[in-house]
């Protein structure tokens, strides 16, 4: 029985999922979306009339089903690792673009992770309704294919973070704001990618959205593969006291691309002007299929060597605070979008990010607007005071009983 407003903890979710590992079916399909809430099913199915995106009736057709209205983000964040540890599974990762190439060996236990189309993206113009409708078709296509093969399986449909944050009107305003801010911060976070050398961590990398677009048409979302499912190879990364290279290799990220490697090149130098060491991300390289090489120069990403670097938006757009500038002709075919980037390649302690140096300068556009407005107002006030000080009073007055007062033109 689920109580209204109750959020399942990781321990409760573990107990609920235990029957999946004891029944005869040894195949588990995990459909993973970037954002989803229980309210989406009601809101989207009622608000769009005949355009109901949820045409797949897998819950109704299943002999046993369970819907959990709210699950703690910590529980869903480590769901994949928990499932891997709970059974002798053969892990298979596929994206929404290559589900048609799915191959499973029914003689073994399979854990199939299907990364669905993201609902929110900085590069792709698509509505939430269209994205969920497409994901619903993918779920139906995969489940129908498994049923036709005679494979018994169980399905989990969930997301990394909620798409809606509940607002309760019976809570004080200040307390409500604090709770919502904490919930949103927790929901958008997941462990950073770390690269270790020996017994210590030498690189930490985190991003809220890590996406690419090739030739203005092929969209590649690497967020889940990098930070959630960890379907990325970082073994080619290199670390030293002066130079660090973060290498991220992906196998078949989308149809048409067999391999993709992204390199972040950082340096650590001493600058006499500031009398301290500074770490700088000076270049980003993209290697497609081991042949096509794109190089970007980076502007605005540097921090004291003891700090990490954080920036809200990093990419190839002209308006981004930290910009990737194409260095060769191949780089012009790529668009890069990284949100809430945080990276550190030197002086990492306790496997955690150090204090973050943000890319936002001291004089932001809002500060400049306030300064200019204040200067204009001060100038108007000064001019007004100066004009008032120039006013003089009469020192002679007309006497009706005497002759008329004559004022010479010189006065």
């Amino acid at each position: 029985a689920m109580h209204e407003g109750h959020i399942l903890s990781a321990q409760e979710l573990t107990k609920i999922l235990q029957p999946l590992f004891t029944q005869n079916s040894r195949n588990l399909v995990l459909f993973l979306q970037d954002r989803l809430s229980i309210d989406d099913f009601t809101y989207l199915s009622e608000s769009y009339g005949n355009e109901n995106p949820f045409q797949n009736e897998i819950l109704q057709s299943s002999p046993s089903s369970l819907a959990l209205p709210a699950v703690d983000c910590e529980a869903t964040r480590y769901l994949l690792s928990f499932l891997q540890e709970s059974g002798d599974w053969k892990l298979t990762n596929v994206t929404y673009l290559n589900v048609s190439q799915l191959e499973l060996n029914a003689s073994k236990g399979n854990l199939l992770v299907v990364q669905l189309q993201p609902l929110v993206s900085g590069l792709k113009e698509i509505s939430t309704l269209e994205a969920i409708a497409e994901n619903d078709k993918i779920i139906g296509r995969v489940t129908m294919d498994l049923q036709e093969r005679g494979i018994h399986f169980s399905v989990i449909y969930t997301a990394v973070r909620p798409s809606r944050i509940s607002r309760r009107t019976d809570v004080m305003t200040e307390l409500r704001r604090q709770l919502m801010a904490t919930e949103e911060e927790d929901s958008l976070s997941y462990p950073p990618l770390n690269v270790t050398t020996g017994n210590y961590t030498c690189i930490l990398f985190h991003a809220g959205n890590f996406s690419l677009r090739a030739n203005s048409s092929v969209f590649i979302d690497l967020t889940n593969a990098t930070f959630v499912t960890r379907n990325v190879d970082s073994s080619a990364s290199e670390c030293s006291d002066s130079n660090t290279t973060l290498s991220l290799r992906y196998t078949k990220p989308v149809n048409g691309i067999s391999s993709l490697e992204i390199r972040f090149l950082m340096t650590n130098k001493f600058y006499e002007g500031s009398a301290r060491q500074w770490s700088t991300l000076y270049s980003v390289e993209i290697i497609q299929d081991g042949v096509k090489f794109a190089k970007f120069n980076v502007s605005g990403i540097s921090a004291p060597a003891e700090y990490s670097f954080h920036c809200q938006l990093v990419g190839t757009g002209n308006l981004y605070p930290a910009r990737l500038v194409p260095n060769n002709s191949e780089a012009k075919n790529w668009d890069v979008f990284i949100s809430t980037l945080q990276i550190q390649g030197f002086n990492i302690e306790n496997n955690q990010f150090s204090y973050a140096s943000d890319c936002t300068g001291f004089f932001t556009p809002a500060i400049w607007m306030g300064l200019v407005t204040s200067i204009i107002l001060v100038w108007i006030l000064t001019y007004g005071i100066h004009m008032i000080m120039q006013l003089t009073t009469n020192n002679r007055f007309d006497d009706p009983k005497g002759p008329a007062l004559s004022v010479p033109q010189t006065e």
Side-chain angles (χ1 to χ4, degrees):
M2 300 298 299
H3 303 286
E4 182 181 359
H6 177 67
I7 300 177
L8 258 71
S9 63
Q11 184 177 5
E12 292 172 324
L13 182 62
T14 302
K15 293 181 180 179
I16 290 176
L17 295 180
Q18 283 301 325
L20 293 177
F21 315 121
T22 58
Q23 58 186 353
N24 295 330
S25 173
R26 297 182 61 245
N27 299 290
L28 181 61
V29 184
L30 174 61
F31 292 103
L32 194 60
Q33 202 164 276
D34 61 338
R35 302 186 181 203
L36 183 68
S37 293
I38 195 69
D39 294 339
D40 293 334
F41 293 90
T42 304
Y43 174 75
L44 293 176
S45 60
E46 292 181 353
S47 299
Y48 292 91
N50 297 328
E51 299 182 16
N52 184 1
F54 302 103
Q55 302 292 337
N56 187 5
E57 298 182 353
I58 186 172
L59 277 177
Q60 288 74 12
S61 61
S62 173
S64 175
S65 62
L66 176 65
L68 304 177
V71 180
D72 186 15
C73 294
E74 288 290 333
T76 57
R77 191 176 304 158
Y78 298 103
L79 177 61
L80 181 58
S81 60
F82 164 71
L83 294 176
Q84 289 181 270
E85 297 171 357
S86 301
D88 185 16
W89 309 98
K90 178 187 177 183
L91 179 63
T92 304
N93 283 286
V94 296
T95 65
Y96 64 97
L97 296 173
N98 54 12
V99 291
S100 58
Q101 304 173 358
L102 177 62
E103 295 182 0
L104 288 180
N105 184 2
S107 62
K108 294 184 178 181
N110 294 280
L111 174 57
L112 176 61
V113 180
V114 182
Q115 300 178 24
L116 298 175
Q117 183 171 222
L119 304 188
V120 180
S121 171
L123 293 177
K124 195 172 184 181
E125 296 293 337
I126 186 171
S127 67
T128 302
L129 177 67
E130 294 174 346
I132 289 187
E134 184 64 27
N135 290 341
D136 187 71
K137 294 178 182 178
I138 294 173
I139 294 174
R141 193 183 314 152
V142 173
T143 54
M144 185 64 67
D145 180 59
L146 294 177
Q147 289 175 355
E148 292 177 352
R149 298 187 195 181
I151 300 176
H152 297 282
F153 60 93
S154 300
V155 172
I156 298 177
Y157 180 28
T158 186
V160 180
R161 60 186 73 96
S163 60
R164 302 172 186 272
I165 299 205
S166 60
R167 301 171 181 259
R168 295 182 56 187
T169 57
D170 57 340
V171 183
M172 293 185 301
T173 304
E174 294 184 2
L175 180 60
R176 180 181 62 186
R177 290 176 180 174
Q178 294 174 2
L179 291 175
M180 288 176 58
T182 303
E183 183 179 358
E184 184 174 4
E185 181 179 355
D186 292 340
S187 66
L188 297 178
S189 61
Y190 33 73
L193 177 71
N194 61 338
V195 177
T196 59
T197 300
N199 296 326
Y200 70 95
T201 301
C202 62
I203 303 175
L204 286 174
F205 174 64
H206 179 271
N209 190 341
F210 185 22
S211 305
L212 307 175
R213 186 168 59 189
N215 300 319
S216 301
S217 59
V218 181
F219 176 75
I220 311 172
D221 189 350
L222 302 174
T223 309
N224 288 339
T226 307
F227 305 106
V228 182
T229 61
R230 299 301 173 99
N231 191 21
V232 58
D233 180 15
S234 58
S235 59
S237 301
E238 300 177 356
C239 298
S240 68
D241 294 336
S242 58
N243 293 282
T244 295
T245 300
L246 172 61
S247 174
L248 304 176
R249 292 179 177 177
Y250 305 88
T251 302
K252 292 184 179 179
V254 293
N255 287 337
I257 299 179
S258 59
S259 66
L260 186 67
E261 181 181 4
I262 303 174
R263 297 175 184 169
F264 296 84
L265 286 76
M266 293 172 282
T267 184
N268 183 17
K269 293 183 179 180
F270 179 82
Y271 291 87
E272 296 181 356
S274 59
R276 68 184 306 171
Q277 298 281 133
W278 284 78
S279 63
T280 303
L281 175 62
Y282 65 91
S283 179
V284 174
E285 299 173 351
I286 300 176
I287 304 175
Q288 177 186 342
D289 300 328
V291 178
K292 297 181 179 181
F293 177 79
K295 183 176 181 179
F296 299 86
N297 295 330
V298 183
S299 63
I301 298 185
S302 61
E306 301 82 9
Y307 295 171
S308 63
F309 177 83
H310 175 270
C311 195
Q312 191 66 25
L313 292 175
V314 177
T316 51
N318 295 326
L319 300 180
Y320 292 164
R323 187 169 175 239
L324 306 182
V325 182
N327 183 262
N328 57 8
S329 58
E330 184 63 31
K332 297 179 181 179
N333 299 327
W334 290 90
D335 292 323
V336 182
F337 175 79
I338 307 176
S339 66
T340 61
L341 167 72
Q342 189 167 4
I343 189 170
Q344 184 173 357
F346 305 95
N347 303 315
I348 298 175
E349 297 180 359
N350 301 323
N351 297 330
Q352 295 180 347
F353 280 114
S354 302
Y355 176 84
S357 175
D358 202 88
C359 63
T360 303
F362 179 77
F363 286 98
T364 62
I367 294 178
W368 278 115
M369 183 178 295
L371 287 175
V372 172
T373 304
S374 300
I375 292 174
I376 294 175
L377 293 177
V378 169
W379 180 81
I380 294 174
L381 178 63
T382 304
Y383 180 77
I385 294 175
H386 175 74
M387 295 301 294
I388 292 175
M389 293 177 62
Q390 298 300 315
L391 296 176
T392 58
T393 58
N394 294 332
N395 55 4
R396 288 181 292 177
F397 301 92
D398 235 348
D399 186 2
K401 297 182 178 180
L405 183 63
S406 176
V407 179
Q409 292 296 329
T410 57
E411 298 184 10

